[in-house]
């Protein structure tokens, strides 16, 4: 990474990259007085880190970051007790961060996705330009505390293209994707995500 960082939050994105926000360049818990504002993302395909635009608000102990259905990341929090003196105040401001993929071209659009599906099921959704879809991602709805998203998971889905449709194949079993709610994203060949819809695996 570009600098040391503790207590950061990492967010899985629909394009397969990992966005890392917040934290401190030194210290721990209530001894972390050097906030990091730079945002970075990690590309598992190239194993490279890229520095992006910075945030504006210190995010130290008890902060959080979550992927939103529109592809942005909600960044919030910092408690008022477990901080060094300069940061001993509750942080009530929230930020929404727009990753670079939101500026890389048109977003895919789709409609008609079911609210729930079983395992190993074929799910057909409508999209006006199936040829523009490069990948499909299921991302588990998150639950974040103490720089740890206990429920974060991304599963890429196989799919076939039709006339104005794509047909997705849901994961084969709960070992790959536990039952529950997921964000379903279509991602363009340029890496731009659609607006997501919630899909419950049952």
């Amino acid at each position: 990474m570009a600098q040391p960082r503790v207590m950061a939050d990492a967010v899985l994105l629909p394009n397969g990259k990992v966005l890392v926000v917040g934290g401190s360049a030194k210290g721990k818990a209530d001894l972390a007085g050097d906030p990091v504002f730079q945002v970075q993302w990690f590309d598992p395909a190239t194993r490279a880190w890229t520095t992006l635009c910075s945030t504006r608000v210190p995010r130290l102990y008890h902060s959080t970051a979550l992927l939103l259905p529109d592809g942005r990341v909600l960044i919030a929090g910092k408690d008022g007790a477990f901080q060094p003196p300069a940061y001993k105040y509750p942080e009530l401001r929230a930020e929404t961060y727009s990753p670079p993929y939101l500026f890389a071209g048109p977003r895919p659009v789709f409609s008609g996705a079911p609210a729930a599906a079983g395992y190993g099921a074929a799910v057909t959704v409508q999209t006006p330009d199936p040829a523009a879809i490069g990948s499909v991602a299921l991302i588990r709805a998150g639950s974040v505390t103490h720089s740890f998203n206990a429920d974060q998971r991304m599963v890429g889905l196989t799919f076939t293209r039709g006339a104005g449709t794509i047909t997705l194949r849901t994961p084969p079993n709960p070992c790959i994707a536990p039952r529950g709610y997921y964000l379903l994203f279509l991602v363009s060949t340029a890496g731009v995500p659609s607006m997501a819809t919630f899909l419950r695996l049952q």
Side-chain angles (χ1 to χ4, degrees), residues 54-149:
S54 295
T55 58
R56 298 182 178 183
V57 178
R59 301 296 178 187
L60 302 171
Y61 197 43
H62 289 145
S63 60
T64 188
L66 280 171
L67 179 66
L68 297 174
D70 65 4
R72 295 180 299 163
V73 174
L74 174 67
I75 308 167
K78 177 188 73 59
D79 71 45
F82 299 99
Q83 312 291 344
Y87 300 102
K88 199 173 276 297
Y89 59 88
E91 184 52 72
L92 304 180
R93 293 171 291 175
E95 298 170 275
T96 52
Y97 192 86
S98 297
Y101 56 39
L102 292 178
F103 308 99
R107 297 173 73 121
V109 294
F110 71 103
S111 61
Y119 288 94
V123 175
T124 299
V125 299
Q126 288 72 47
T127 183
D129 189 5
I133 307 304
S135 62
V136 179
L138 273 184
I139 298 185
R140 182 87 163 179
S143 176
V144 184
T145 183
H146 292 79
S147 301
F148 183 70
N149 192 326

